[in-house]
Amino acid sequence: MCLEEMIQGNESLQKECTSESTDEEDGILEEVMAFADFYPTEDNQKLHHEMLQDKARNVAYRSAIMQNHQHIQDKVVLDVGCGTGILSMMSVKHGKASKVFAVEASGFAEHTQTLIEANGMSDKIQVFDGKIESVQLPHKVDLIISEWMGTFLLFEWMIESVIFARDHWLNDGGVVWPSHAGVYLVPCCAGELYKNKVSFWESVEDFDFSSLVPLAKDEFFSSPLYNHVMKQEDSLATPQQVFQLNMKTVTRQDLEEVSHTFHFTISKAGTMHGFASWFQVDFAGFPVNSKPFVFLNTGPDYPLTHWKQTLFMMDSPITVEQGDTVEGAITMTRNKEWRRHLEVHLALSVSSVSGQNAKTFTKLFPIWR
Ligand code: SAH
């Protein structure tokens, strides 16, 4: 689910957790107890509508199940945050799972039950109305399936619920889907946006409005643009993966701060306005799961998804030539107080092939606070 939907769906985004418990489990529980309010109950057909309309998303999950049906057949599956139950139903229909535990924290669970009955699957799919952290499942499972990804992959931090499910309910040797999740970054041009939001103020009706330029930059570019649709030709270099999570081993602590250095070589002359980012999740993990495995990539080289791309605009554009280098580091830090939020720090230096002095930038972007 993407950020825009979440915010529209719940205007009163509350501080989901303020207290850090010394007890790890209590800490998770406290944080997640507050999470139900984060997902609205009345309006969420709209949210499910948007997710279910996302063909690339649905196809990735369905293909992963179909291509691995021999491993899923007669196995027990746990669907964490089942929503409408779509992934549970796919697991039964295409994977021939013997049993699916479908867990949903929001009030939507009552509709899920009806949908499962309407599709004649109530003997196979058992719906649990509650948070994964508080429901008691009959026994452990062979496969955990979940669609937990948010803006910049991690926003909302539903990943924690999947980690909790893995640590409590996955059999030894079981599989978590998606199995890996990686974030990508590329320096890019966003000329139209810059023109529209910033250059616009330089002259309005032939009057000099340029004193408003700093205000415009602050208003539009101090946070990332969550709903950016990037064209392939906006890329100024080859995208790089800046971090990857292995869902079988990642811990909550690993996600408090993630840092990575990058080195891009500009492949096309142009104006660099900032960086675009997106994620890919993979569906690997079964013993004979040979590559290429199924993946879902939300970048500009693949069909558009409801996550679109995230754009980090620098305050001032910079002209780059082929061969220039963009070096630096990206650090993602989880917000210590607003635990479902994070901030992204970019520090970089652009060096030109022609030997001019390198230009350096640093900027901190909150997502969402
Ligand atoms: N699996 C569905 C819905 C994905 S959206 C689909 O693919 O279409 C994520 C869902 O997870 C939401 O319905 C949300 O209410 C639910 N959810 C979030 N945190 C949860 C938790 N801790 N326990 C159970 N459900 C959770």
Side-chain angles (χ1 to χ4, degrees):
M1 187 184 293
C2 71
L3 183 81
E4 192 87 348
E5 297 164 32
M6 296 290 307
I7 290 161
Q8 281 170 0
N10 188 351
E11 293 289 316
S12 58
L13 270 185
Q14 297 300 318
K15 192 191 287 185
E16 294 79 23
C17 174
T18 50
S19 55
E20 278 293 279
S21 170
T22 43
D23 179 329
E24 169 76 356
E25 295 249 313
D26 284 355
I28 298 180
L29 272 176
E30 261 179 50
E31 288 179 23
V32 178
M33 284 310 199
F35 193 53
D37 301 335
F38 197 61
Y39 280 91
T41 46
E42 314 105 52
D43 196 22
N44 65 2
Q45 189 168 354
K46 188 171 152 210
L47 308 180
H48 291 296
H49 182 248
E50 179 145 25
M51 287 186 285
L52 294 172
Q53 276 195 322
D54 185 337
K55 279 219 164 65
R57 183 196 88 113
N58 298 348
V59 166
Y61 280 85
R62 173 159 38 84
S63 307
I65 292 169
M66 288 172 108
Q67 290 182 29
N68 288 279
H69 67 90
Q70 72 276 31
H71 303 298
I72 301 173
Q73 184 159 5
D74 302 328
K75 296 282 172 24
V76 182
V77 177
L78 165 59
D79 180 355
V80 179
C82 66
T84 55
I86 186 76
L87 305 181
S88 299
M89 293 192 224
M90 286 178 178
S91 302
V92 169
K93 182 175 176 185
H94 304 298
K96 303 274 180 291
S98 60
K99 191 86 202 163
V100 182
F101 302 140
V103 183
E104 174 53 47
S106 78
F108 203 82
E110 67 174 279
H111 303 295
T112 317
Q113 183 63 50
T114 312
L115 293 172
I116 284 160
E117 279 164 24
N119 286 280
M121 293 187 180
S122 36
D123 58 328
K124 301 266 190 213
I125 303 174
Q126 190 174 348
V127 178
F128 293 80
D129 183 353
K131 295 166 211 80
I132 185 64
E133 293 78 1
S134 48
V135 296
Q136 190 58 37
L137 302 181
H139 49 79
K140 291 195 169 186
V141 305
D142 307 301
L143 170 65
I144 290 177
I145 194 163
S146 185
E147 198 275 74
W148 52 267
M149 298 82 73
T151 293
F152 194 68
L153 183 68
L154 289 172
F155 177 75
E156 300 160 44
W157 242 268
M158 188 181 157
I159 190 171
E160 276 198 330
S161 299
V162 178
I163 293 173
F164 180 97
R166 178 198 70 197
D167 293 346
H168 288 79
W169 296 112
L170 190 66
N171 275 327
D172 289 346
V175 167
V176 183
W177 267 0
S179 56
H180 303 83
V183 169
Y184 290 78
L185 194 70
V186 73
C188 71
C189 160
E192 251 172 66
L193 181 82
Y194 193 83
K195 203 167 118 198
N196 189 8
K197 301 287 188 200
V198 176
S199 312
F200 167 82
W201 294 103
E202 277 157 15
S203 164
V204 179
E205 290 283 331
D206 276 339
F207 297 113
D208 180 357
F209 273 37
S210 58
S211 60
L212 293 180
V213 163
L215 205 66
K217 286 182 179 176
D218 193 48
E219 187 168 334
F220 296 115
F221 302 153
S222 56
S223 292
L225 285 106
Y226 306 114
N227 254 343
H228 184 63
V229 179
M230 184 191 172
K231 297 190 201 94
Q232 257 177 324
E233 60 266 28
D234 293 339
S235 276
L236 296 171
T238 306
Q240 278 177 24
Q241 190 182 71
V242 286
F243 64 88
Q244 196 190 35
L245 311 176
N246 179 341
M247 293 303 295
K248 199 68 193 283
T249 53
V250 67
T251 66
R252 298 177 82 210
Q253 289 70 24
D254 294 341
L255 299 173
E256 286 297 318
E257 182 167 305
V258 184
S259 203
H260 196 89
T261 54
F262 53 76
H263 179 118
F264 294 99
T265 303
I266 296 295
S267 51
K268 188 170 90 173
T271 307
M272 178 179 151
H273 290 97
F275 291 83
S277 166
W278 59 88
F279 64 82
Q280 172 172 316
V281 292
D282 301 337
F283 297 83
F286 281 112
V288 288
N289 190 312
S290 57
K291 290 191 176 183
F293 41 73
V294 173
F295 61 85
L296 169 63
N297 186 306
T298 60
D301 296 341
Y302 293 88
L304 189 66
T305 69
H306 74 292
W307 288 281
K308 299 177 184 150
Q309 285 92 41
T310 302
L311 179 65
F312 299 91
M313 288 289 274
M314 299 187 314
D315 291 332
S316 306
I318 163 165
T319 306
V320 286
E321 298 297 332
Q322 191 176 357
D324 289 357
T325 56
V326 179
E327 282 178 275
I330 179 169
T331 305
M332 184 285 300
T333 313
R334 186 171 183 182
N335 191 307
K336 297 274 177 287
E337 195 185 358
W338 299 81
R339 299 296 283 160
R340 303 255 162 224
H341 304 233
L342 61 139
E343 56 191 26
V344 174
H345 184 255
L346 284 167
L348 59 129
S349 146
V350 183
S351 310
S352 79
V353 263
S354 59
Q356 288 163 9
N357 286 346
K359 299 185 177 87
T360 56
F361 303 87
T362 60
K363 194 164 172 181
L364 186 65
F365 296 87
I367 304 179
W368 147 265
R369 279 177 186 279

